[in-house]
Amino acid sequence: MSSVGKAIPHESAREHVSGRALYTDDLVGRFTGLLYAWPVQAPHAHAKVLSLKTEGALEVPGVLHVLTAADVAGANNVGPVRHDEPLFPDEVMYHAQAVAWVVAESEEAARLGAERVEVEYAPLPAIITLEEAIKQGSFLTDALRVRKGEPEQALLEAPHKLKGKIEIGGQEHFYLETQATLAYLDEYGQVMLQCSTQHPTETQTIVAEVLGIARHRVTVQCLRMGGGFGGKETQANTWAAVAALAAWKTGRPVRVRLNRTQDMTLTGKRHPFLGKFSVGFDDAGKVLGLKLELYSDGGWSLDLSEAVLLRALLHCDNAYHVPHMEVVGRVCRTHKTSQTAFRGFGGPQGMVVIEEVLDRVARTLGLPPEVVRERNFYREGDTTHYLQPVKDAERIERIWYELKTASDFATRRQQIAEFNAAHPHKKRGIALTPVKFGISFNAIQYNQAGALVLVYQDGSVLVNHGGTEMGQGVHTKILQIAAHSLGVPLEQVRIAPTRTDKIPNTSATAASTGSDLNGAAVKNACETIKVRLAQVAAQRFGVNAQDIVFQEGRVYPLGSPGKAVSFAEIVKAAYAQRVQLWSDGFYRTPGLHFDRTKGQGHPFHYFAYGAAVSEVEVDGFTGQYHLRQVDILHDVGDSLSPVVDLGQVEGGFFQGMGWLTLEELVWDAEGRLATKGASTYKLPSLAELPEVFNVRFLERATEPGVVYGSKAVGEPPLMLAISVREALKDAIAAFGGGLVELASPATMEAVYWAIERVRARALVSGD
């Protein structure tokens, strides 16, 4: 039986549930003389650092050193794109920013030492909200623009026009394992780091630059992460640099692990967005022209904000063809944490905007929103607003109508109307929304991966690749790819921990490309080895090499399984003939190009498609609601690992639902994060699970040109949760009709006030 496509558990499932799985901070017991670092955090959102006195900290028993800018021999900067993030700042740019780090024999001593560091600040005016930033012209980037056709003319000539805006909240990553790094020096003085990072190469690069040494003197290893979701793509680098610098200065191993409050106050979030739109449409609800302005809250530094904004610009069409369209975006600077990558990477914000537009179009015309959506779908031959052909556009309608039928949408729509007519204080709503999500990194150079596959004389296989495991199952899929490619059982293959001294110059495990890129590189390496082994086997059996079959650990001539010998036997024969039994592998995604100046190109290798139906019930007195049923049909191509993919679809949807309905980030007027723990930040739990949750994969969905016909599945399912927000609007509209202005996240409080606005408008109009 083929290993690829087999429904197997996650490769570390037993370790996860038994507690044997090791994470970065579980390794502390392996080090003697371990030191701990604790941040000195500023009490201002914006201030100049006038003086910093460390003498008091050094008087605390157990404190060895206080790290400041004076300790940095290299670059005092950890900014991944633009060098705008000093590790030790002389100007505080957000509340709780670390201005120094205390290193001590115990965490308690480090904490007490940090309290004794005396810092004098000169407070400066702070910009906290997006609106303030726009008003004051506080931007991190120039405008990005994508344009197709003549939207001004289309708007002028359209029979109907609407203007509006939508504010979209951010989201805390809330990975179970907070940011953590262990750093030590080996016997040669090389810097070794065990780090919870999605991008070991970038962590290696930043650490080398801070220390002022060559990259080959820094090795980063990632065993696994207890969640990442984008929050450890760039933002693991700062804590790794602190740990490495402390180890470099003291010569002893150092641990940096943020507690939950530190993690939430020091690290970036999903970007809040403000969208403004002008749309022109006809009597049928067909969008004729659209102009969008998107503003994102980037926080204090650039980080990945420009790339996040670009992906939002490239996804604000979702599954809809708009013949004349212009979208302009800018990243705003505020005095808050530097917002960063988060599952979907701007795509979700862009999609929420277009779904808001179409819902308003539908309600203005008195049409069902699902009808307006399907009338605007891409069809075969259409191109996006950045002029990329929409490959497999027919899948949008195929998924849509299959799901409509399977979910019994029409019948349920009628049942909901009957329920609403009979219940004045409770209303139900239903919505069906699509997803079209482009797969590839926006930065073309990251669309590459390497691998190293080693075959030993007993037939066992060790695979090294550049992807990091954060629970998403990339190691599981790589195991299946390697086993299938070499024709050996899964138990003969092991995945080595991700290390920069095994696979150099890796890309981040992000953009849903982990399996696509690394899987293709591993497959490339395995096929090279198999070609060599086939030559050896061909000599043994007296046949052509192309007629050799590798299957389930057996090797035999095509059509003669009775002559089979073990894989290990052929490997031993190859070794005796001095045939190389290991190989590197490499892959780069073909056909990608994008001109940012023109806003045109082919930035994505392919599109992942899906659709979801969500049904909700809302209480008109309190705004409380619950999710009654969810039906999903998602396109994963030919699934490499169905159980893993099912978990990604369910988990992605649930995380997206949390972002859109529950998870509200609140900063006070002084720039302090008010929601800095599980007691104040509402996460989705089992109580929010729908009563009925049906997930199916699209059949007959092979994706040519991707490893074994599969498709990425990490990010696209998150946007299926937009259907929950739209279902809530559908239920709210049932209290009085007309347009629904619903805040995002749609908390119960937000739903209550939306209902009140609908009711008030209905009273005024006499409905």
Side-chain angles (χ1 to χ4, degrees):
M1 181 179 178
S2 170
S3 297
V4 164
K6 190 175 180 181
I8 65 170
H10 190 285
E11 51 87 26
S12 291
R14 290 180 182 274
E15 288 72 22
H16 289 159
V17 299
S18 65
R20 293 196 302 269
L22 296 178
Y23 297 86
T24 298
D25 205 48
D26 294 320
L27 306 177
V28 295
R30 300 183 179 185
F31 298 92
T32 58
L34 185 69
L35 301 179
Y36 301 80
W38 193 272
V40 178
Q41 295 181 264
H44 305 284
H46 190 200
K48 291 291 290 184
V49 178
L50 300 180
S51 67
L52 193 153
K53 297 179 181 179
T54 63
E55 293 82 2
L58 296 172
E59 293 172 359
V60 175
V63 171
L64 272 67
H65 192 72
V66 180
L67 293 173
T68 67
D71 294 298
V72 179
N76 181 31
N77 210 290
V78 291
V81 178
R82 182 186 293 169
H83 294 302
D84 60 348
E85 296 185 30
L87 184 58
F88 300 100
D90 57 15
E91 182 178 348
V92 172
M93 295 296 287
Y94 67 96
H95 191 277
Q97 184 173 11
V99 296
W101 287 76
V102 176
V103 183
E105 299 276 0
S106 68
E107 187 172 85
E108 178 71 0
R111 183 184 66 81
L112 292 173
E115 292 177 358
R116 297 282 299 276
V117 174
E118 297 179 25
V119 187
E120 183 183 358
Y121 300 97
L124 297 168
I127 297 171
I128 306 303
T129 68
L130 261 174
E131 290 79 2
E132 288 177 294
I134 296 168
K135 185 177 180 180
Q136 296 187 35
S138 178
F139 297 107
L140 284 161
T141 65
D142 294 330
L144 294 175
R145 187 183 309 270
V146 179
R147 181 183 174 93
K148 177 183 179 181
E150 298 297 332
E152 295 84 3
Q153 189 66 25
L155 283 167
L156 185 66
E157 297 174 356
H160 306 281
K161 304 173 185 64
L162 276 177
K163 287 187 176 183
K165 70 175 184 177
I166 177 173
E167 297 177 27
I168 304 169
Q171 186 177 19
E172 169 63 39
H173 298 86
F174 218 104
Y175 26 65
L176 290 181
E177 177 200 27
T178 57
Q179 300 278 359
T181 295
L182 285 165
Y184 63 98
L185 307 182
D186 70 7
E187 63 271 31
Y188 300 106
Q190 315 307 317
V191 181
M192 313 293 292
L193 296 105
Q194 299 279 355
C195 188
S196 187
T197 175
Q198 291 175 235
H199 200 343
T201 287
E202 188 173 88
T203 300
Q204 173 196 33
T205 300
I206 294 295
V207 167
E209 290 175 353
V210 169
L211 297 180
I213 61 177
R215 295 181 194 180
H216 74 275
R217 297 186 63 188
V218 179
T219 298
V220 177
Q221 175 170 295
C222 178
L223 286 176
R224 58 169 61 82
M225 284 168 280
F229 311 118
K232 296 173 181 175
E233 182 174 347
T234 62
Q235 302 221 343
N237 303 334
T238 299
W239 330 116
V242 170
L245 183 60
W248 189 260
K249 297 296 292 187
T250 64
R252 291 170 60 175
V254 177
R255 169 235 202 189
V256 172
R257 182 187 65 81
L258 305 184
N259 62 34
R260 182 61 65 187
T261 299
Q262 289 169 338
D263 199 287
M264 294 185 76
T265 56
L266 286 167
T267 67
K269 328 294 179 194
R270 184 188 294 281
H271 292 72
F273 265 59
L274 170 64
K276 299 179 180 180
F277 59 86
S278 297
V279 61
F281 51 99
D282 63 18
D283 294 340
K286 187 76 173 68
V287 176
L288 305 175
L290 179 63
K291 295 197 73 171
L292 295 178
E293 295 177 44
L294 297 182
Y295 298 93
S296 73
D297 184 344
W300 73 280
S301 67
L302 185 62
D303 195 85
L304 296 174
S305 296
E306 189 168 39
V308 168
L309 179 66
L310 177 60
R311 185 167 282 262
L313 265 62
L314 300 183
H315 282 80
C316 59
D317 57 335
N318 194 9
Y320 311 111
H321 179 240
V322 181
H324 301 278
M325 179 175 179
E326 180 181 67
V327 54
V328 181
R330 292 197 78 173
V331 180
C332 299
R333 184 201 295 273
T334 59
H335 293 101
K336 292 190 288 199
T337 53
S338 186
Q339 317 315 355
T340 191
F342 200 129
R343 196 176 194 171
F345 203 79
Q349 294 95 318
M351 290 188 189
V352 167
V353 173
I354 189 64
E355 295 298 344
E356 176 75 12
V357 169
L358 290 180
D359 184 76
R360 294 196 190 191
V361 167
R363 298 192 187 283
T364 298
L365 295 172
L367 294 171
E370 63 272 11
V371 170
V372 170
R373 289 188 169 100
E374 60 195 42
R375 287 176 179 173
N376 283 282
F377 281 158
Y378 280 113
R379 266 77 182 184
E380 287 297 323
D382 286 341
T383 60
T384 64
H385 55 300
Y386 47 92
L387 303 188
Q388 175 168 341
V390 183
K391 180 178 176 291
D392 297 325
E394 57 84 20
R395 290 193 187 187
I396 299 172
E397 288 191 320
R398 179 153 68 98
I399 290 169
W400 185 265
Y401 291 114
E402 279 188 29
L403 183 59
K404 262 184 129 175
T405 301
S407 66
D408 201 13
F409 186 89
T411 300
R412 288 165 62 194
R413 172 64 89 188
Q414 180 59 36
Q415 290 171 344
I416 286 170
E418 293 169 0
F419 176 91
N420 290 345
H423 295 81
H425 305 303
K426 282 190 177 181
K427 303 294 181 183
R428 291 177 180 172
I430 191 169
L432 171 57
T433 60
V435 165
K436 174 186 68 69
F437 190 81
I439 303 299
S440 290
F441 283 99
N442 289 344
I444 304 299
Q445 69 271 21
Y446 289 141
N447 294 286
Q448 60 174 298
L452 178 64
V453 177
L454 315 176
V455 177
Y456 296 96
Q457 289 185 65
D458 64 353
S460 63
V461 181
L462 181 65
V463 176
N464 299 268
H465 68 95
T468 55
E469 177 61 57
M470 62 193 95
Q472 86 282 28
V474 67
H475 283 352
T476 307
K477 290 185 174 182
I478 296 294
L479 276 174
Q480 292 176 270
I481 289 167
H484 182 80
S485 299
L486 290 171
V488 299
L490 280 167
E491 56 269 21
Q492 276 184 233
V493 184
R494 182 171 77 86
I495 303 291
T498 309
R499 282 176 66 108
T500 56
D501 60 354
K502 296 295 187 293
I503 308 298
N505 308 316
T506 58
S507 298
T509 305
S512 305
T513 62
S515 297
D516 282 14
L517 296 177
N518 294 287
V522 168
K523 181 174 181 284
N524 175 241
C526 290
E527 288 177 342
T528 299
I529 294 169
K530 194 163 72 170
V531 166
R532 296 171 188 157
L533 294 177
Q535 294 288 347
V536 175
Q539 293 174 17
R540 180 179 184 126
F541 293 116
V543 299
N544 292 325
Q546 59 265 34
D547 293 328
I548 296 297
V549 176
F550 293 78
Q551 190 171 43
E552 287 299 300
R554 300 161 67 241
V555 183
Y556 55 88
L558 184 66
S560 302
K563 296 181 179 180
V565 299
S566 70
F567 180 78
E569 192 170 336
I570 295 299
V571 169
K572 288 177 183 175
Y575 175 77
Q577 296 177 31
R578 296 184 292 178
V579 172
Q580 184 176 329
L581 292 173
W582 57 270
S583 178
D584 62 334
F586 185 74
Y587 175 78
R588 63 178 182 178
T589 310
L592 301 179
H593 59 89
F594 188 74
D595 187 326
R596 291 198 180 201
T597 304
K598 295 180 179 178
Q600 298 175 0
H602 194 292
F604 303 118
H605 190 34
Y606 60 89
F607 296 104
Y609 299 108
V613 175
S614 291
E615 182 181 335
V616 299
E617 182 173 305
V618 176
D619 186 295
F621 289 119
T622 65
Q624 289 184 297
Y625 54 84
H626 69 276
L627 188 55
R628 288 172 46 79
Q629 182 169 334
V630 173
D631 297 88
I632 290 171
L633 181 58
H634 196 70
D635 174 14
V636 297
D638 293 336
S639 176
L640 292 171
S641 193
V643 172
V644 168
D645 285 348
L646 178 63
Q648 287 295 288
V649 172
E650 292 175 341
F653 175 89
F654 211 50
Q655 190 170 47
M657 186 189 73
W659 165 54
L660 290 169
T661 64
L662 296 171
E663 301 180 44
E664 186 173 21
L665 288 165
V666 178
W667 281 270
D668 67 17
E670 303 300 317
R672 290 178 293 233
L673 180 65
T675 49
K676 56 184 178 182
S679 62
T680 51
Y681 186 76
K682 174 64 173 171
L683 291 161
S685 65
L686 289 175
E688 280 73 46
L689 274 173
E691 299 165 20
V692 180
F693 198 1
N694 300 315
V695 178
R696 292 190 305 114
F697 295 149
L698 183 67
E699 297 178 354
R700 306 182 313 280
T702 301
E703 182 60 34
V706 183
V707 60
Y708 293 121
S710 63
K711 272 191 174 183
V713 71
E715 291 169 297
L718 184 136
M719 284 143 284
L720 296 167
I722 297 173
S723 60
V724 179
R725 172 180 161 79
E726 297 305 306
L728 286 170
K729 287 160 67 179
D730 194 54
I732 292 165
F735 285 97
L739 297 181
V740 176
E741 297 176 10
L742 179 62
S744 180
T747 62
M748 292 176 183
E749 181 183 26
V751 169
Y752 171 79
W753 289 116
I755 292 170
E756 288 294 290
R757 284 189 292 270
V758 167
R759 282 172 165 163
R761 189 170 59 237
L763 285 173
V764 171
S765 64
D767 292 344

